[in-house]
Amino acid sequence: SMPVYAFDGYAESFMEKYPDSTPIITYCSGRDCQDSHTLAQYLFEAGFSDVLVFIDGYPAWEEGGNPVE
């Protein structure tokens, strides 16, 4: 989990842990939330090349019967 507002604090350790070729899917609380788009842009600007946004976010994932923790 990387909240968009905490990107600056997490970015360095995240980039040390994951190579910039790591596929990343960002999501937030639904279609009207822009945080996932903003975070995807930050990651792209940081050098990650395989970043996608799950536009309908966590509610759609859960509604689809997918696993959650």
Side-chain angles (χ1 to χ4, degrees):
S1 177
M2 183 187 302
V4 68
Y5 62 83
F7 178 78
D8 290 335
Y10 284 99
E12 187 175 334
S13 62
F14 186 85
M15 290 186 283
E16 288 173 0
K17 188 173 182 178
Y18 301 102
D20 59 7
S21 60
T22 303
I24 299 173
I25 300 173
T26 63
Y27 65 92
C28 58
S29 62
R31 186 172 286 267
D32 294 331
C33 177
Q34 292 300 307
D35 289 354
S36 57
H37 297 274
T38 303
L39 182 57
Q41 185 64 40
Y42 288 169
L43 290 164
F44 182 74
E45 289 171 0
F48 288 87
S49 58
D50 193 2
V51 181
L52 301 171
V53 176
F54 182 37
I55 196 163
D56 288 325
Y58 185 81
W61 179 265
E62 190 173 37
E63 199 173 284
N66 296 293
V68 296
E69 290 185 19

